[in-house]
Amino acid sequence: MSEDATTKKTPGLGGISLNFVPAAGDGSAPVSQSVAAATGESVDARVVIVGSGPAGLTAAIYAARANLAPVVIGGLAGGGQLMITSDVENYPGFPDGIQGPELMGLFRKQAERFGARVVDADVERVDLSRRPFKLWAAGVEYRAQTVIVATGAEAIWLGIESETRLRGRGVSACATCDGFFFRDKEVAVVGGGDSAFEEALFLTRFASKVHLIHRRDQFRCSKILKARAMAHPKVEIHLSRTVEEVLGTEHVEALRLARTDGPGEERLSVQGLFIAIGHRPNSAVFRDWLVTDEKGYLRTDGPTTATDIDGVFVAGDVDDHRYRQAVTAAGEGCRAAIDVERWLEAQESDARAREAASTAAEPRRAAEATTA
Ligand SMILES: Cc1cc2nc3c(=O)[nH]c(=O)nc-3n(C[C@H](O)[C@H](O)[C@H](O)COP(=O)(O)OP(=O)(O)OC[C@H]3O[C@@H](n4cnc5c(N)ncnc54)[C@H](O)[C@@H]3O)c2cc1C
């Protein structure tokens, strides 16, 4: 994992300088680079995009190229989840793969090239009761005709030091993203719900063996997934165990497991560890305004990216707990920007029509007044 990749010149990419500072690998507060320090300042925008992951920055590219001069309040952990991963091999256009932070630096560079303004701050509070919508970040009030919420989600980790140290060196939270790197290797999945089983079954395509570790003595997943996993010759189940430590210096070599049903520890040799204990959507700031599901994911209203608040749109992992990929998030960012553009166009042409109607009515009223 290239912890400081974004502060270096990127070889092979024209030596560009990347703007994001990666989120701290230990999950603690990320480094802020150029937080807008002004207080009392206010900014008006036709569209404010919240979040600078693949969804937010793709929305920014499209909105900027549609001449909407978007403002991106990108978050202190700018660049999103790909900032904590190394090789991304499934993003189209990079046949040799690309480092996550490099990819996000390129997204940002492309958005800024077309005039998007990216602010490295977190939105702390919003008022979506009327337009212009108001958002507050780092002492600045943003007034927006439209808002795209692209605040993403976070994988929930075990929270042990060795897991953080070996993240990207065998520890992952995404089998779809990283399973390919574990061909003919032994891996473990931690979790007891449907996603843990889905991850485990997906990993059987590559790994020589998949150990499924769960702290309880039974699973809370669907029967069908459980039956499939139990029947799979590559899957071995370890109930009533927790991962106490991930062992290895450069890469994952083994796990130290503790039993939850009595004393005793075990060592399990694996080269990969997939954490599948859930994701947390970054929707807290919007929860008082927008509809969420029971897990806090924002809900869209119908087939577009629109929410039930007219003029507010949603894109990426903050509403998508099914696909959770950079390319799907980017696709949603594109959809949201197009939705915004059409929404503004409709509003503006309605306003023009109203103005034309009232201008046409003026001489008639004047003529009627004269006749009377
Ligand atoms: C370890 C790991 C490896 C992965 N590998 C791959 C891979 O190889 N290929 C792949 O396609 N996908 C991969 N993914 C998944 C991919 O990273 C996500 O699907 C994608 O980043 C989602 O994009 P997003 O823009 O919706 O959200 P995110 O990337 O989560 O970005 C959200 C942004 O919103 C910001 N934000 C949050 N709250 C606020 C706020 N209040 N104010 C302002 N900003 C805010 C955050 O700081 C962040 O910048 C991986 C994920 C992880 C965790």
Side-chain angles (χ1 to χ4, degrees), residues 163-179:
E163 167 201 56
T164 310
R165 185 169 48 80
L166 292 167
R167 214 184 273 175
R169 297 185 167 133
V171 176
S172 172
C174 177
T176 309
C177 313
D178 296 331

Side-chain angles (χ1 to χ4, degrees), residues 337-353:
I338 291 174
D339 287 340
V340 159
E341 185 199 329
R342 291 183 183 162
W343 188 91
L344 283 169
E345 176 55 36
Q347 295 283 315
E348 284 157 11
S349 61
D350 283 356
R352 279 194 298 273

Side-chain angles (χ1 to χ4, degrees), residues 59-246:
I61 292 166
Y62 275 77
R65 294 193 75 253
N67 257 348
L68 298 179
V71 172
V72 181
I73 309 176
L76 291 171
Q81 295 169 68
L82 287 186
M83 299 299 282
I84 59 160
T85 195
S86 48
D87 298 300
V88 178
E89 292 197 333
N90 54 10
Y91 198 84
F94 298 93
D96 301 322
I98 182 164
Q99 300 286 297
E102 289 177 17
L103 180 59
M104 294 322 299
L106 291 171
F107 268 64
R108 177 164 174 164
K109 189 175 189 231
Q110 193 171 351
E112 288 179 331
R113 179 183 154 215
F114 295 111
R117 178 179 158 198
V118 184
V119 181
D120 299 318
D122 275 339
V123 169
E124 294 130 20
R125 190 162 61 89
V126 299
D127 179 351
L128 305 181
S129 59
R130 67 180 68 85
R131 288 195 300 276
F133 303 118
K134 289 183 184 159
L135 305 93
W136 289 271
V140 180
E141 180 183 293
Y142 295 84
R143 291 190 293 253
Q145 292 303 321
T146 57
V147 174
I148 297 176
V149 182
T151 45
E154 286 164 20
I156 300 173
W157 301 91
L158 298 175
I160 52 178
E161 182 278 329
S162 51
E163 167 201 56
T164 310
R165 185 169 48 80
L166 292 167
R167 214 184 273 175
R169 297 185 167 133
V171 176
S172 172
C174 177
T176 309
C177 313
D178 296 331
F180 191 79
F181 301 119
F182 293 88
R183 192 170 289 282
D184 300 325
K185 299 203 159 77
E186 267 191 57
V187 299
V189 175
V190 179
D194 280 0
S195 22
F197 276 81
E198 278 162 4
E199 301 271 275
L201 287 165
F202 180 77
L203 288 165
T204 58
R205 297 172 192 206
F206 314 99
S208 55
K209 183 147 206 164
V210 180
H211 299 272
L212 186 51
I213 300 165
H214 185 39
R215 64 196 162 127
R216 299 188 200 285
D217 60 358
Q218 50 191 313
F219 293 108
R220 51 183 163 77
C221 63
S222 65
K223 278 191 188 146
I224 176 95
L225 281 173
K226 187 172 158 188
R228 269 188 219 153
M230 298 281 211
H232 202 290
K234 283 190 183 175
V235 177
E236 188 174 328
I237 308 259
H238 304 258
L239 286 169
S240 305
R241 283 156 174 93
T242 54
V243 176
E244 294 298 295
E245 190 180 357
V246 190

